[in-house]
Amino acid sequence: MKTHLYFTLAPESLVASQLTPSEFGTYLAVGTHRNSNGQAQFFEIDPEWRTDALPMRDIERRCVAHSDGAPRKSTYLAIYRVLEHIPLSAIGNLHLATPDGRTLSIAPAASIPPDSEDRFHLYQEYCPAQPRVVSVLGPVRFCAHLTDSAQPVSVPKIVFSELKLGNLAKNPEATGLGNLPYPNIDHLRDCLREFTFKPSKPTKVFIRNVSDSVLYRTIRGGFYVGHQDNIKFYPMPSPDELEIKYHDWWSSALSTFGS
Amino acid sequence: MRALMFKYLRNRRFAKFYLSCLAAFFVVAFFMRPSAAHAVGEASTAAGQAVKETAFRFFGLFSDPRYTTLEISALLAVLGIAILGLLYALMLMRQVNAADKGTPRMQAIADAVREGANAYLSAQFRKIGPLIIVITIVLFFTTQSHETAFKFGRAGAFLVGSLFSWAVGFVGMRLATTGNLRVAAAARRSYGEAMQLGYRTGTVTGMLTDGLGLLGGTLIFLAFGEQAYEALLGFGFGGTLLALFMRVGGGIYTKAADVGADLVGKIEKNIPEDDPRNAATIADNVGDNVGDCAGMAADIFESYEVTIVAAMILGLASFGHKGVIFPLLVRGIGVLGSIISTYTVKAGPNDTSDTALKSVHRGFWIGSFISVVGFVLLGAFYLKFDAKYLAENATALAGFPGFDAAANSLNLPLWASFGMENTDMRPVLTCFIGVILAIALNKVTSYFTHTTHAPVQGLAKSCQTGHATNIIQGFAVGYESTVASVIVIAGALFLSFLCYAGTPALFVAYGIAMTGIGMLTLTGNTISMDVFGPVADNANGIGEMGYDAEAMEREQPGSYKRARQILADLDAVGNTTKAETKGIAIGSAVIAAVSLFASFIAIIAVGSEDKINLMTQHQYDSVLPSLAVAHPMVFIGLLIGGAVPFLFSSMLIRAVGRAAFLIVKECRIQFRDKEIWAGTKKPDYGRVVDICTSTAQKELIGPGFLAILTPIIVGFLLGVQALAGFLAGMIVVGQLLAVFMANAGGAWDNAKKFVEDGNYGGKGSEAHKAAVTGDTVGDPLKDTAGPAVNPLIKVMNMVSLLCLGLVIKFNVVAPTGENATRTVGVVVSLICALAIGWAIWQSKRETKELKEMEKEFN
């Protein structure tokens, strides 16, 4: 059985497993006995990649099939400061599991789309922390800003996605926000208004830690992973493509409750 | 021995056999009796005039000089129209069956739904078959008439009424489970084709209801003539009782499956609706059919029957034979209107839900127009009352206070005669009021339950602040809707009253009965609209589970998305049309109950139902003061009657909870299977279907006994006045409760849809969670308890009417008449009390099968 390496975003961990990405997604989401459910996002890591910064030397010894022949589902190799040690070149496909275990695989795009001209952006960070942040910076500049060690607060590397802001992307006072599922929209408006009062402020935390599922339907563009201007972009398929090619995953994603 | 007997009775083949034998027996008896009766008649003629009056001959009206050739021809034409309606249904059925059945995967899903639905109705029939037999026998022996033909007539008509009601439900549901597949298949090609197939599937059930209802009523009248009420009571009771069981069983089934599927699927496991991995998915789809097709069709069928029963009884007692024939002719026009108008409902290949809905509504308007024009022409031609007729029908005279015998003029005002000499157009006006009432109730229901109106939008808005505010607002919307509905119904009753102002109460009652006839004129359209709902819903489910998206896209890019959009649009149209017809079902129950209440008073006036054709106006009027609310017994009855719908609803809602509990447990166990979860193994859908079926059957007993036996206890124990109060209280409270439950549930359901359509956060948001809670609370209200209150109202009325003659003689409070005694009342009350107590205990007790299931789950 082939041993895979997976980097899961929440909790941040490096896991060796004999499950395929799809099986691993189901396992993460619903467990062995399908008594639990919860969303999961993880990257496939080049199985040949090794680093001394993480305890990876005895993967082959630890990640073996069970005595009855069943594949080893998970061997946790590291659960802290994993992302910063994985080079972008070793990061493969991104996998998004719905709470009931349907998994969508997304390959990285060849290029990164240019930043939109919207005034405001909403970002969901996944790793190393999970705050939801509003910003006046586009995704590329946002990534550069957060991973800039010259800033008072920064992270070495980050995984995040942009979320839809609807009419609020241009005007914090806008109406017609029908399909925006975020809790406490008034607070979101306050956060956006703050940029008007403090033009020098590039980002503002909207929710300190998102513990709920992130609704995949709110993802705008796709997922970003990187540091400074060294970024990999994972484009979210269009709704039409999701409806037709990934129907089961998409209908499951649409059935998820979250924030 | 007992176990062996029940084993045989419940055996499907045997059940069919003994019911067929019984039916054959009544058919033979029916055709044997005329000769016997004729012989008696001849003997009687020789013996003298007194005896001759009691002689009865089947189909006697064909030789009765009071009936003109034209009248008899018209009645035969009505019979022909009834058959035409059935042939139209057959034609549509062939069209539906001939349509494309889709891919094998789609067919497999539809087959599972169909098998589940068939298994349910067969199990139900086996369960209530013995009860039908028992009641048939009881009716035979308790019919007070000395004429054996009437005993056979009532018992046989009961059997036929119940079989017709069952047939309407069974065929309707069976076709719906056929049509859903065709609709899903057609949606891959064209909107119009899919919409037309769905609507025509519903029309088959509608026309079956129309056709069988009219056939039964007309045949009974042709056979029994002016004594038709003897059999009509049995016919109406048969239809009503089966409808109650269909509604109760179907309601429990559908919501147990729905709530169970939602709780474990959507809430607990976060999986989409109609996900094939959910073991309750098929049961949920089956439930849509047994609840909304079989239940609703049988419910409207009974209203159709009960209104004609009431109109014919009151028509005879007031206007004589013209009063009986007119409602039948009106019904004939209604069937023609339905045939023409349902055929006009069409949609183009690229239409949307808006245009489709307009087409359905246009069909209803066309039908209404045809019917109203037909009523006027019929009235102008037939409702002629001259001095000769009034001399032959003395009771009718009181309906024309201004009649001038010397001038042979009715002296009716212009609005009542339309300027035509000796013509009474008041029945036409009351029918027209009924048509308007149906439309108005549609609008009221639509206003309170549709997403385009303020109540539902307000409800959705309240979801932003949480679950509790949604529930609170939902109660407010439901309560408010009852007021609007009551105002509309009361307005219609008042207008009917105005039509007959100045005439005795019996004529007013006839006017109200005719309002009921008018209201259900377009039964074909109403049921088409209702059944279209579950057909489209199921088709959407088949699309979700059965379409192969990638294959469809390969074949024709964009086809999958378009087909899904068509099914979603049709589902939305079906939800709207289904909700609209619920108002008519409830309204018709009230109108029918008020009309039956007048028949009830008429029986009190004469002492027993076999003398109703001899009643005088004075007798009827003299009873009215004794039924005043000021009388303590009337008030006591009022209180008890008002409480019964609550007990009944409570039993049903609890039943849903119990069944849903078992389903959740079963689904959880099946979800533990890795292969089921991975989608590589089919869940055991049959097990959930079995749980729903067995639970729904078990839960029939309690509510059924409550409905049948409570009026008997009240009548025998507390007397006639209390029984009258009981009926009044039950009608008022039952109607309010039914409207509240239906509209609050409908509003919660659509508030959820409104949120899901991208409002207040859309799918997955906190508001959506609150909306789902509201919908879950509303589900058993709108689809189980609410609709079941309609047949409850009518069953209790029919039982009261049927036992009233015996109640008058044998009640404990004040027995009157020949051989009157209290002992019988005490014994009957005691037996009924024990039976109800046993039924309630039985409904709470867990059966051996359920205990085993639960043990297995734990």
Side-chain angles (χ1 to χ4, degrees), chain B residues 156 174 205 211 244 278 291 310 334 357 401 442 455 499 623 628 631 669 700 730 743 818 844:
Chain B
R174 201 176 165 80
T205 314
L244 178 77
N278 190 342
L357 197 59
N442 267 355
C499 286
V623 174
H631 194 291
I669 286 179
L700 279 179
M730 187 264 304
N743 288 349
E818 205 182 329
K844 288 181 178 172

Side-chain angles (χ1 to χ4, degrees), chain A residues 59-78:
Chain A
I59 292 176
E60 287 77 12
R61 185 182 59 79
R62 289 175 61 198
C63 188
V64 291
H66 291 282
S67 53
D68 61 357
R72 174 76 57 183
K73 295 183 184 72
S74 61
T75 302
Y76 278 76
L77 304 172

Side-chain angles (χ1 to χ4, degrees), chain B residues 179-181 183-184 285 534-544 547 567 570:
Chain B
N180 54 19
L181 175 64
V183 172
N285 280 287
V535 170
D537 186 321
N538 269 216
N540 201 16
I542 291 172
E544 169 73 32
Y547 278 172
L567 290 178
L570 291 179

Side-chain angles (χ1 to χ4, degrees), chain A residues 4 107 153 202 207:
Chain A
H4 299 265
V153 176
I207 303 172

Side-chain angles (χ1 to χ4, degrees), chain A residues 26 30 32-38 71 73 98-102 177-183 212-213 215 217 239-240 243-248 251-259, chain B residues 266-273 275-277 543-544 549-550 553 558 560-561 564 668 671-675 677-679 755-766 768-769 772:
Chain A
T26 305
V30 299
T32 308
H33 298 290
R34 282 148 290 282
N35 281 335
S36 61
N37 67 73
K73 295 183 184 72
T98 59
D100 67 321
R102 304 269 191 196
L177 310 178
N179 215 16
L180 289 187
Y182 314 124
D212 267 355
S213 293
L215 297 175
R217 73 174 172 86
D240 276 358
E243 174 71 26
I244 293 159
K245 283 179 73 177
Y246 310 107
H247 177 74
D248 288 345
S251 60
S252 169
L254 288 178
S255 303
T256 305
F257 287 103
S259 56
Chain B
K266 285 193 204 165
I267 308 290
E268 203 172 290
K269 298 290 181 190
N270 260 315
I271 62 172
E273 187 164 352
D275 190 306
R277 292 173 297 170
E544 169 73 32
E550 289 189 58
E553 285 298 311
Y560 172 75
K561 204 178 169 207
R564 287 308 310 272
R668 279 181 188 162
F671 273 136
R672 281 182 209 152
D673 188 324
K674 197 162 65 177
E675 290 175 53
W677 190 263
V755 172
E756 285 175 350
D757 286 344
N759 297 292
Y760 304 116
K763 274 190 168 181
S765 62
E766 284 299 316
H768 187 211
K769 267 188 198 171
V772 168

Side-chain angles (χ1 to χ4, degrees), chain B residues 510-549:
Chain B
Y510 179 67
I512 291 169
M514 287 312 295
T515 302
I517 294 281
M519 189 180 180
L520 290 175
T521 295
L522 295 176
T523 292
N525 298 59
T526 304
I527 294 186
S528 304
M529 287 164 72
D530 174 69
V531 174
F532 180 62
V535 170
D537 186 321
N538 269 216
N540 201 16
I542 291 172
E544 169 73 32
M545 292 184 273
Y547 278 172
D548 185 341

Side-chain angles (χ1 to χ4, degrees), chain B residues 91-113:
Chain B
M91 183 193 86
L92 294 182
M93 198 189 294
R94 285 192 174 160
Q95 277 183 10
V96 172
N97 280 330
D100 173 26
K101 291 194 281 186
T103 63
R105 187 167 147 189
M106 290 162 67
Q107 287 172 29
I109 294 160
D111 284 348
V113 175

